[in-house]
């Protein structure tokens, strides 16, 4: 009988095997793919790929008035992911800063404590690993020449390097409460376990922390208030005292300051989803890898049809200027081809399936302004606990 068991398992059809595999947790499926080439092949098969377990995803946010950090689950098999970060020390007093490709950046301290007490902490909610970062130079002299406002961004791409992450600190020039440029760049490198500083770095545009950004292949892409994408790469040069490379890419359409979009990625290419025609449509573009700085249109969505109403935008009384758009783009899931929206009129978090054009409610009563797209990563956290 024992000798017949392998034959019985091998006699299962591909359809039956996929039906079994689609019911296991994603983490278990990853293990199975490592020991069976035939099961690994299912992941690249267009017919079976949509059925198989996908990487757990969610939307990380912190409520108004600095309430606890939460993860709005978008996947059925993410019970092991600790989205509330309860494994971190003093987690109830953490301030959420950013997340990127499975890692989350928070800090202790903030506006209710003296500036030099702020300390960054990077963690992985899927593996429950974490590490403190050394205090950056700008936080050691809160009242001195280095004092100022900083925009902080986490950068991690496990497909490029699962052993490295970066934290960017852009020092903003403030004049009469307006940001008018960047004068200093601090970058924490997990490889070196130290902050690299470039005082000569400058940029004439504003980088707003609530604006979208993405890190692909060692290059940071961040949206600026001028309607462009700032690209920063060559970070390894900083350890030799050389400034990283920077360039700008124009967005593929007219930019409106009142309307935010989001970035995503697919097969190593940058995606952007942005409102057009005063918010009446949303276009999804892909940055063409074969034609640098050129965009290709992937989708164009009609928002009155998606939301089921015509009152998408609100104008001034004389109709001369847009006051606000009634929705906000929260995130783009390129693998599932789903757009996540915050309906400001009904105060709901929604998902819109680009293929089926189906609108679904995820959460009623949005108590936050910003959702950050989270995709689980099960690789070991770079560096060691500090």
């Amino acid at each position: 009988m024992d000798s017949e068991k392998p034959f019985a398992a091998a006699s299962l059809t591909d359809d039956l095997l996929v039906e079994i595999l689609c019911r296991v947790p994603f983490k278990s499926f990853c293990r199975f793919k490592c020991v069976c080439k035939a099961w690994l092949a299912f992941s690249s098969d267009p017919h079976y790929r949509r059925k198989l377990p996908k990487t757990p995803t969610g939307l990380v946010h912190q409520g108004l008035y600095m309430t606890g950090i939460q993860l709005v689950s978008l996947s059925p098999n993410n019970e092991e992911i600790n989205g509330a970060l309860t494994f971190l020390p003093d987690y109830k007093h953490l301030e959420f800063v950013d997340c990127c490709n499975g890692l989350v950046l928070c800090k202790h301290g903030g506006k209710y404590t003296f500036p030099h007490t702020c300390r960054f902490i990077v963690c992985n909610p899927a593996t429950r690993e974490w590490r403190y970062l050394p205090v950056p130079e700008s936080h050691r002299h809160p009242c001195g020449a280095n004092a100022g406002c900083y925009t902080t961004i986490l950068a991690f791409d496990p497909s490029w390097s699962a052993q490295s992450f970066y934290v960017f600190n852009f020092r903003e020039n403030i004049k009469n409460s307006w940001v008018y440029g960047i004068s200093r760049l601090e970058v924490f490198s997990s490889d070196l376990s130290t902050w690299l500083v470039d005082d000569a770095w400058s940029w004439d545009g504003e980088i707003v922390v609530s604006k979208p950004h993405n890190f692909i292949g060692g290059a940071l892409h961040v949206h600026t208030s001028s309607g462009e994408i700032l690209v920063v790469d060559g970070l390894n040069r900083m350890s030799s005292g050389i400034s990283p490379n920077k360039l700008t890419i124009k967005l593929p359409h007219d930019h409106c300051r009142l309307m935010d979009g989001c970035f995503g990625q697919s097969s190593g290419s940058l995606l952007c989803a942005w409102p057009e025609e005063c918010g009446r449509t949303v276009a999804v573009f892909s940055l063409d890898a074969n034609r640098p700085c050129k965009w290709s249109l992937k989708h164009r969505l009609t928002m009155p049809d998606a939301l089921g109403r015509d009152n998408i935008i609100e104008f001034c009384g004389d109709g001369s200027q847009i006051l606000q758009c009634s929705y906000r783009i929260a995130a783009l899931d390129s693998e599932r081809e789903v757009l996540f929206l915050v309906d400001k009129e009904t105060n709901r978090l929604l998902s819109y399936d680009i293929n089926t054009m189906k609108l679904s409610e995820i959460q009623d009563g949005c108590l936050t302004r910003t959702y950050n797209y989270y995709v689980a990563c099960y690789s070991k956290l770079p560096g060691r606990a500090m």
Side-chain angles (χ1 to χ4, degrees):
M1 291 296 292
D2 290 342
S3 60
E4 296 177 2
K5 288 183 179 179
F7 176 79
S11 66
L12 291 176
T13 65
D14 288 350
D15 289 340
L16 285 175
L17 281 172
V18 169
E19 285 298 320
I20 295 172
L21 292 173
C22 74
R23 289 166 169 77
V24 304
F26 174 78
K27 195 172 181 179
S28 299
F29 177 62
C30 290
R31 296 192 185 103
F32 297 160
K33 291 192 297 182
C34 295
V35 298
C36 181
K37 292 183 178 180
W39 293 359
L40 175 63
F42 289 146
S43 299
S44 57
D45 188 305
H47 176 67
Y48 294 123
R49 189 168 51 198
R50 293 183 65 88
K51 292 184 178 181
L52 293 172
K54 295 178 175 58
T55 308
T57 59
L59 295 171
V60 181
H61 70 97
Q62 186 161 35
L64 300 177
Y65 313 112
M66 296 300 296
T67 54
I69 298 171
Q70 300 177 35
L71 174 67
V72 179
S73 173
L74 303 175
S75 304
N77 296 321
N78 66 349
E79 296 85 358
E80 298 179 356
I81 299 175
N82 190 324
L85 310 184
T86 58
F87 58 94
L88 295 179
D90 205 22
Y91 72 93
K92 291 183 179 180
H93 301 288
L94 285 174
E95 179 180 343
F96 174 79
V97 178
D98 197 14
C99 69
C100 185
N101 291 320
L103 300 188
V104 175
L105 174 67
C106 302
K107 68 178 180 180
H108 281 116
K111 62 183 179 180
Y112 298 111
T113 62
F114 199 62
H116 73 270
T117 62
C118 292
R119 193 174 184 190
F120 293 113
I121 182 170
V122 174
C123 69
N124 186 333
T127 63
R128 307 193 182 192
E129 296 175 297
W130 60 275
R131 64 175 291 187
Y132 274 119
L133 306 189
V135 178
E137 183 179 335
S138 57
H139 288 69
R140 296 173 188 163
H141 310 284
C143 298
N146 293 326
C149 294
Y150 282 79
T151 293
T152 304
I153 292 173
L154 175 64
F156 176 61
D157 181 2
S159 63
W160 175 65
S161 175
Q163 288 76 44
S164 304
F165 70 82
Y166 298 90
V167 177
F168 290 77
N169 250 351
F170 292 94
R171 187 187 189 279
E172 301 165 340
N173 291 319
I174 307 293
K175 186 175 182 180
N176 298 325
S177 300
W178 288 93
V179 178
Y180 64 94
I182 302 296
S183 63
R184 174 188 177 94
L185 175 63
E186 299 175 335
V187 179
F188 176 81
S189 167
S190 63
D191 290 336
L192 303 175
S193 293
T194 189
W195 289 89
L196 306 173
V197 181
D198 187 354
D199 285 310
W201 201 91
S202 63
W203 178 250
D204 294 330
E206 176 189 357
I207 298 177
V208 183
V209 71
S210 61
K211 297 292 183 180
H213 56 272
N214 208 299
F215 188 70
I216 305 176
L220 175 69
H221 302 75
V222 59
H223 181 243
T224 70
S225 64
S226 59
E228 297 176 319
I229 299 173
L230 170 64
V231 183
V232 182
D233 65 2
L235 301 174
N236 56 325
R237 296 152 48 106
M238 291 186 66
S239 60
S240 302
I242 304 174
S243 297
N245 303 317
K246 53 184 181 292
L247 61 90
T248 57
I249 301 173
K250 276 288 196 182
L251 284 169
H253 50 73
D254 293 334
H255 169 70
C256 177
R257 290 182 64 91
L258 294 175
M259 298 179 187
D260 294 343
C262 73
F263 290 150
Q265 57 179 298
S266 176
S267 301
S269 297
L270 182 71
L271 303 178
C272 77
W274 231 270
E276 291 184 326
E277 302 178 36
C278 299
R280 293 185 180 89
T281 62
V282 168
V284 180
F285 287 88
S286 172
L287 193 61
D288 197 332
N290 298 320
R291 297 182 302 160
C293 305
K294 299 296 183 182
W295 297 90
S296 301
L297 179 66
K298 294 178 64 70
H299 306 284
R300 179 166 279 118
L301 314 175
T302 304
M303 298 315 292
D305 293 342
L307 296 174
R309 63 172 187 267
D310 294 326
N311 57 330
I312 297 296
I313 53 179
E314 179 183 347
F315 291 92
C316 290
D318 58 3
S320 61
Q321 185 178 354
I322 299 174
L323 284 179
Q324 66 173 351
C325 183
S326 67
Y327 68 89
R328 184 172 68 253
I329 300 176
L332 172 67
D333 185 333
S334 58
E335 182 180 10
R336 297 168 176 82
E337 294 198 303
V338 173
L339 193 67
F340 300 101
L341 307 166
V342 174
D343 189 338
K344 294 188 283 188
E345 184 171 297
T346 62
N347 202 31
R348 295 182 301 160
L349 178 63
L350 307 169
S351 67
Y352 181 71
D353 190 304
I354 295 174
N355 293 316
T356 65
M357 296 184 290
K358 180 181 178 182
L359 187 71
S360 303
E361 179 181 305
I362 300 174
Q363 187 178 63
D364 188 15
C366 297
L367 299 177
T368 183
R369 297 175 182 175
T370 304
Y371 288 91
N372 295 264
Y373 185 65
Y374 168 85
V375 53
C377 175
Y378 294 96
S379 61
K380 185 177 179 61
L381 182 68
R384 59 182 179 83
M386 300 182 63

